[in-house]
Amino acid sequence: MEKQLGVVGEGIPQPSRPRVASRSRMGMVAGTILAALWFTLHHLDVSSHKTGLTVVDKVQKCAIDNLHEDLYFLEPAKPITPEEFISRHDRLAKALAASGIDAFVLEPGYTFQYYGNISQVDWEPWEPEERPFLMLVLPETSSTGEVTAKTAFLSPHFEEGRVRMLGIPSREPELDIVIWEEHWNPYTTLMGSHLFKDLGRTPKIMMDEEIRDYIVRGLDSAGFDTVGLNAAVELVRQTKSPAEVELIRAVNTGTVEAVRKMRPCLVPGLTENQVTDILNNALLSIGFSLFFNIVLFEEHGALPHGGFVTGWKELTHETMVVIDVGAHYLGYSSDICRSFFIDPPKTSSCHGGILAAIKRIFGFGGQAQEAEWQPSDPKLHAEKLQVWQIVLDAQTAAAEAFKPNATAASIDIAARGVIEDAGYGYGFTHRLGHGIGIKAHESPYLNKFNTEVLLQPGMTFTNEPGIYLENHFGVRHEDIYLVTETDVAELLSGPRAKGPYEP
């Protein structure tokens, strides 16, 4: 009779079960604790979202709070006084008289604002339209030879009351307005007015650079001899008064501070558009009005002003961020640029500390410290750091070249030489800078062929070298400098950048 089969292995000697090693048991316990800890911390994070604040909300609050910690840059800035506007008229009149010009003609725009009181907060915008509304500044010479300005206006009759409400500074108790009816020729009306009828010769009038062509042609057809701007007249606006310098300093330093105080708040995952909005709101929170804001990540920054499809790219710890931004404050403009990284990732003191302690207790990693963050492409990251420093060195060279009577070209050449010597000359694709004041881009312009313009004390400039490596990244540093009587230019945009983590 066959022996019936029993349970598998029955009757077969079984090896004794080995004891679980203490380290393995500890590993199992550690794994359980780590899993529980992850679950707890995860739910703590989720519960924080119950406050209703999104990541963008938190970053926004952080940026504004940081910026408002110290608004030192606003204190010295005061509105331009009526007396200074009249002084501008007189300086212009002297330049006109020296040039043999009978009147300077301008229409609504930046130059009109410069001579027509931009500091009043209730300024009513007057956009250029088809009906000519012109401001004229005429030099008058007294019996003693002193040259002063007479201001007058050409306005449609139905707009006369509106013109008088603008509060334009003038020596006369009432503005001198030449009115024209809608069925009249405004240009022949001006020629036949009291301003020119007793001149005894063809009036020679200078046109502002912003005036529209059809107005110039209309004045020509009425018999005026129209001419373009000359250097003496341009110098009036190019030379900034102490009050203007403080306004330029305030708006540019404030704009730099807004970028600088926002940077530590930025986190991975934010898009270019979101960072743009966050910075805009920070600027608005200190009373600045928005002008432009170009936020570019990584290869998008390889085009100095970006492209029409930017805005969607997300921020990472490896992203080279380029922010070119301008704002207005009391009528004056900022135009600055910063290039930087956000802070590298680090383990938080709470979560990371607990996890690190558990790892040490159970022998994971011994006494070794947490490994420092490393970029995914060390070679590319190293080049970013190198280019960042080259651009800063180029900016330093240009800053040292801002001296009275230096040519505008020499400033550009000083910066360009540094970049070319480093082998990146092909990547510096624009001029070094431009004048700045009530308008972000004013003359003179700093390019390597502008050898005719000589720098004068009181001129203010952007200093903005850059290197742009298409399809990879770009770097630009931009600050504002004042040419002084000495050989040392004055920085008007606060402390310069110190490094890619300290812009």
Side-chain angles (χ1 to χ4, degrees), residues 106-370:
L106 54 155
E107 63 171 331
Y110 281 103
T111 309
F112 193 105
Q113 291 175 347
Y114 178 80
Y115 289 111
N117 189 7
I118 59 175
S119 65
Q120 56 183 26
V121 295
D122 57 346
W123 171 266
E124 182 180 2
W126 195 311
E127 296 294 333
E129 56 176 37
E130 75 280 4
R131 301 180 182 95
F133 168 47
L134 306 178
M135 178 178 181
L136 296 91
V137 179
L138 304 90
E140 292 187 330
T141 305
S142 69
S143 58
T144 62
E146 181 184 6
V147 177
T148 57
K150 173 181 175 55
T151 57
F153 300 86
L154 176 70
S155 169
H157 191 183
F158 77 94
E159 295 278 33
E160 179 184 1
R162 183 182 175 203
V163 174
R164 296 191 185 281
M165 293 172 62
L166 292 177
I168 299 172
S170 174
R171 282 194 176 87
E172 295 80 12
E174 291 287 337
L175 294 182
D176 189 348
I177 303 176
V178 176
I179 60 172
W180 58 278
E181 302 292 351
E182 295 256 37
H183 56 285
W184 295 357
N185 182 317
Y187 311 109
T188 57
T189 300
L190 181 62
M191 174 63 88
S193 72
H194 63 282
L195 298 175
F196 299 108
K197 68 177 183 179
D198 296 328
L199 190 60
R201 53 184 167 79
T202 299
K204 189 174 185 178
I205 58 177
M206 181 174 286
M207 301 291 100
D208 178 53
E209 63 182 351
E210 295 180 333
I211 202 163
R212 290 170 294 176
D213 177 69
Y214 83 89
I215 292 179
V216 178
R217 288 186 281 110
L219 291 166
D220 282 335
S221 67
F224 288 98
D225 178 12
T226 60
V227 298
L229 283 177
N230 65 20
V233 169
E234 281 194 293
L235 187 61
V236 174
R237 187 169 142 191
Q238 290 170 348
T239 306
K240 305 302 188 288
S241 70
E244 288 184 280
V245 168
E246 292 307 322
L247 286 166
I248 294 169
R249 189 196 312 274
V251 68
N252 282 278
T253 301
T255 306
V256 169
E257 286 295 307
V259 175
R260 184 172 284 147
K261 295 303 178 67
M262 175 185 70
R263 190 202 66 84
C265 306
L266 299 178
V267 295
L270 293 172
T271 66
E272 293 160 317
N273 283 340
Q274 288 172 327
V275 174
T276 299
D277 291 341
I278 290 166
L279 181 55
N280 282 344
N281 289 330
L283 292 168
L284 289 170
S285 77
I286 58 173
F288 287 6
S289 57
L290 304 180
F291 181 27
F292 69 91
N293 190 357
I294 305 171
V295 176
L296 304 170
F297 294 167
E298 208 65 354
E299 72 273 10
H300 288 178
L303 295 175
H305 290 160
F308 63 91
V309 294
T310 59
W312 55 267
K313 195 169 184 64
E314 292 187 357
L315 183 61
T316 74
H317 291 292
E318 301 184 44
T319 300
M320 177 60 75
V321 179
V322 180
I323 297 182
D324 184 9
V325 57
H328 289 138
Y329 182 64
L330 294 178
Y332 281 76
S333 297
S334 63
D335 184 3
I336 63 92
C337 187
R338 285 296 186 268
S339 302
F340 59 85
F341 297 116
I342 62 172
D343 290 336
K346 56 184 178 181
T347 306
S348 70
S349 58
C350 175
H351 298 187
I354 296 173
L355 292 173
I358 291 174
K359 288 181 179 181
R360 286 195 299 272
I361 291 171
F362 292 101
F364 298 134
Q367 299 300 316
Q369 298 294 318
E370 293 287 330

Side-chain angles (χ1 to χ4, degrees), residues 58-72:
K58 292 177 181 178
V59 174
Q60 181 70 82
K61 184 178 185 304
C62 173
I64 291 177
D65 288 349
N66 285 354
L67 180 58
H68 281 257
E69 287 177 355
D70 190 356
L71 301 179
Y72 69 94

Side-chain angles (χ1 to χ4, degrees), residues 6-14:
V7 179
V8 175
E10 184 179 356
I12 301 175
Q14 298 292 319

